[in-house]
Amino acid sequence: MKLIVNTLLFVLGISTFSFAGNGERTLKEKINRKIKYPTSLLKDKQEVVVSINIHIREDGKMEIQQIDSQSEAVTQSILKQIEALHFTPTADMYGKDYPFRFVLKVQE
């Protein structure tokens, strides 16, 4: 039996979704590609919802302001994955918040 891990990403906020610039689109795409269900929890086969808010500081660094999920293990794993992202924001992103909502699923 082969397990397939699906990650769904929803961007919250009309302005972020509707009027995304190149930097915003790049951030969304990068997060969508890089965020994965923690392999250590694959045996649980449960759906996990994760909400995260990323703030781009005026110096261009990403700051995770909030992260929530039903599982502390998933929260810590996602936190590490976000911190490991190599992303250079565009100047128009400085000082803005980018909320994301992930639905992590394991399907057989």
Side-chain angles (χ1 to χ4, degrees):
M1 216 180 293
K2 183 178 176 184
L3 288 177
I4 300 172
V5 179
N6 285 335
T7 304
L8 303 174
L9 172 67
F10 300 96
V11 177
L12 304 175
I14 295 171
S15 63
T16 301
F17 184 75
S18 299
F19 304 106
N22 287 336
E24 293 173 46
R25 269 194 298 271
T26 302
L27 177 61
K28 177 184 170 189
E29 291 167 1
K30 192 168 266 221
I31 287 176
N32 196 29
R33 280 193 319 268
K34 298 291 183 178
I35 299 302
K36 304 292 180 211
Y37 197 99
T39 54
S40 61
L41 300 175
L42 284 177
K43 66 183 180 305
D44 296 340
K45 297 182 186 178
Q46 72 182 73
E47 180 177 294
V48 179
V49 177
V50 180
S51 297
I52 186 167
N53 188 52
I54 297 174
H55 177 76
I56 307 297
R57 297 187 332 204
E58 294 297 329
D59 63 3
K61 296 191 184 213
M62 283 194 327
E63 182 177 279
I64 300 169
Q65 291 188 320
Q66 175 245 340
I67 184 168
D68 294 312
S69 78
Q70 304 103 321
S71 165
E72 183 60 29
V74 170
T75 297
Q76 291 305 312
S77 176
I78 299 298
L79 181 64
K80 288 178 185 174
Q81 291 176 56
I82 295 287
E83 288 174 343
L85 279 179
H86 298 288
F87 175 73
T88 304
T90 57
D92 64 320
M93 297 175 73
Y94 294 176
K96 294 183 182 174
D97 292 337
Y98 297 91
F100 295 93
R101 182 176 180 265
F102 307 93
V103 180
L104 304 175
K105 297 182 179 184
V106 177
Q107 298 177 347
E108 291 189 51

